[in-house]
Amino acid sequence: MVNGRNVERRTVLKAAGATAATLGLAATTGCGGDGGASADGTVTIRYAWWGAEDRAQRIRKTIALFEKKYPKIKVKTDFQPYLDFWKKFNTQASGGNPPDVFQNAVGFLRKYDAKNVLLDLGEQVEAGHLRMEGFRAGLEKFGEIDGKLLGVPVGSNSMALVIDKPVYTKAGVKPEQGWTWDDFEAGMRKIRDRTGRAGDSGMYGVMYLYDLYLRQNGKAFFTADGLGFTEADLTDWWTRAEQGVEQGLYADPKKVAQIKPKSALAAELCGSEFTWDNFTVRYSAEGKSEYALAPIPTTDGKKTGQYLGSLMLSASKRTRHPKEVAQFIDFMVHDPEVARIMGYDRGVPATQAQFDAYQPTDEVNKAIAAYEESLVEAGVLEPITPHPNGADICESAFLRIAEELGLGKRSVDEAVQQFFTESKTALGT
């Protein structure tokens, strides 16, 4: 993720991992969805997503715009909290009746493609109903799997280091693009020694940070069909994290757990925290300090391993209205007014037209936009690591086992062995 900062990701993965692992999803040949058109040619498509009421209110406004532009297409909506969304989705998919279009994430593409749930939107692109040009920084490739277009990004984010600016200033630590992990560790020592705080919230369960570290070293967390690292690699990572806690460089995991759902950074247990850039909003809401985004440390002073990615829209293979679904997705990712309504709720807008249309006025969102622009200008962005079928279950296991390690419930060796055992089962390897 991960401490309290990744509730959405963690709860989503728990839901999908617990439910999808036990469901044999029905084959999705034939027709499904809402049914045929009405007498006047009007069709209805079902759109489902996860999120809070604020997101729902914004999305309803965008749907009103869409229905005004396409009066013959009506959109029936359904949203759930994170956990409930995936429970309901799996039930619908297993019964052969998933929503026509729905919010999705990269960790689920191969899973639901393997279960014959996802529509390849490539045909709709060829037919001219869905535009895949005008995306920022290669995001148009984000939802492509094995030559199939299974998802279209609605926003972007990237991993970042969120820092408490006064703490870093007092410690004399100045993170800059290209700083190394040795620089980072030296900075954590300065923060500990000069401010009395741990330098960082800890790296036990930040799976996507570990992925970047692996990518910096020519590996990756996932390959197209499995894990891209060894037990020795993970042993080294978790040993270093454990040593960091012992030395006071990272926050005490027990204290971090006690203050949840508040973040360790906002609770002043540490001076920084690795997370997704668009999660930065939470720190200003939770804490009393001034926060900023800093670059990811590197192994060689150049390669960060970073990529842009975020939520996306996918379609059901059973939909009776693929053209209308494609027109809906096209509208949601290209229309400038949609961006002005949604803001950065689902990440920085994925297309340049929407990015230009919404210019944030608050300092937090300005910083998020500037951070992502700095990644493009620095030339550090790369294609995302492929996620195999079962990746969501692996991620859920990584987060849970890492937390158990941090709380002293497992040794490093036990944690590594448990993770690989569960992952091999999830991936069928």
Side-chain angles (χ1 to χ4, degrees), residues 271-294:
S272 58
E273 187 162 85
F274 289 99
T275 188
W276 297 100
D277 57 18
N278 65 316
F279 287 3
T280 310
V281 176
R282 74 169 295 188
Y283 300 101
S284 297
E286 289 180 353
K288 300 177 182 179
S289 191
E290 182 182 0
Y291 306 98
L293 291 164

Side-chain angles (χ1 to χ4, degrees), residues 283-325:
Y283 300 101
S284 297
E286 289 180 353
K288 300 177 182 179
S289 191
E290 182 182 0
Y291 306 98
L293 291 164
I296 296 294
T298 68
T299 298
D300 62 1
K302 298 177 182 179
K303 182 181 176 69
T304 68
Q306 285 174 275
Y307 47 81
L308 292 183
S310 186
L311 301 178
M312 65 185 75
L313 297 179
S314 292
S316 164
K317 203 169 188 177
R318 292 185 65 96
T319 183
R320 292 186 176 186
H321 311 297
K323 174 184 175 181
E324 290 80 6
V325 164

Side-chain angles (χ1 to χ4, degrees), residues 228-276:
F229 61 99
T230 66
E231 293 187 20
D233 293 327
L234 184 55
T235 297
D236 176 67
W237 178 258
W238 273 344
T239 297
R240 290 171 58 189
E242 190 173 60
Q243 290 172 345
V245 172
E246 293 171 353
Q247 296 168 11
L249 304 183
Y250 304 146
D252 182 343
K254 295 182 177 63
K255 292 182 179 179
V256 172
Q258 289 170 358
I259 53 92
K260 287 182 179 178
K262 193 172 187 177
S263 68
L265 179 58
E268 301 182 356
L269 295 179
C270 59
S272 58
E273 187 162 85
F274 289 99
T275 188
W276 297 100

Side-chain angles (χ1 to χ4, degrees), residues 68-136:
K68 184 176 181 180
K69 182 176 181 179
Y70 294 94
K72 294 294 185 180
I73 307 175
K74 302 301 179 185
V75 182
K76 183 179 180 180
T77 64
D78 181 24
F79 83 97
Q80 306 285 335
Y82 322 124
L83 193 67
D84 295 337
F85 172 88
W86 287 105
K87 287 181 179 179
K88 184 172 184 177
F89 181 84
N90 278 291
T91 299
Q92 291 172 326
S94 66
N97 190 36
D100 296 276
V101 60
F102 53 95
Q103 187 170 287
N104 204 354
V106 68
F108 303 103
L109 292 183
R110 288 187 187 274
K111 172 186 283 289
Y112 290 113
D113 182 43
K115 295 179 183 295
N116 212 23
V117 172
L118 302 181
L119 176 69
D120 181 358
L121 291 161
E123 291 184 5
Q124 297 303 315
V125 175
E126 294 178 4
H129 303 142
L130 173 60
R131 293 166 291 167
M132 291 305 294
E133 68 272 3
F135 283 80
R136 298 170 43 243

Side-chain angles (χ1 to χ4, degrees), residues 1 3 46 168 260 265 303 335 412:
M1 256 173 136
N3 302 329
R46 293 158 51 216
Y168 265 62
K260 287 182 179 178
L265 179 58
K303 182 181 176 69
D335 187 86
V412 170

Side-chain angles (χ1 to χ4, degrees), residues 205-220:
V206 193
M207 192 202 89
Y208 282 88
L209 176 66
Y210 184 44
D211 181 36
L212 298 190
Y213 178 79
L214 289 168
R215 287 159 64 94
Q216 291 175 15
N217 289 277
K219 299 185 178 185

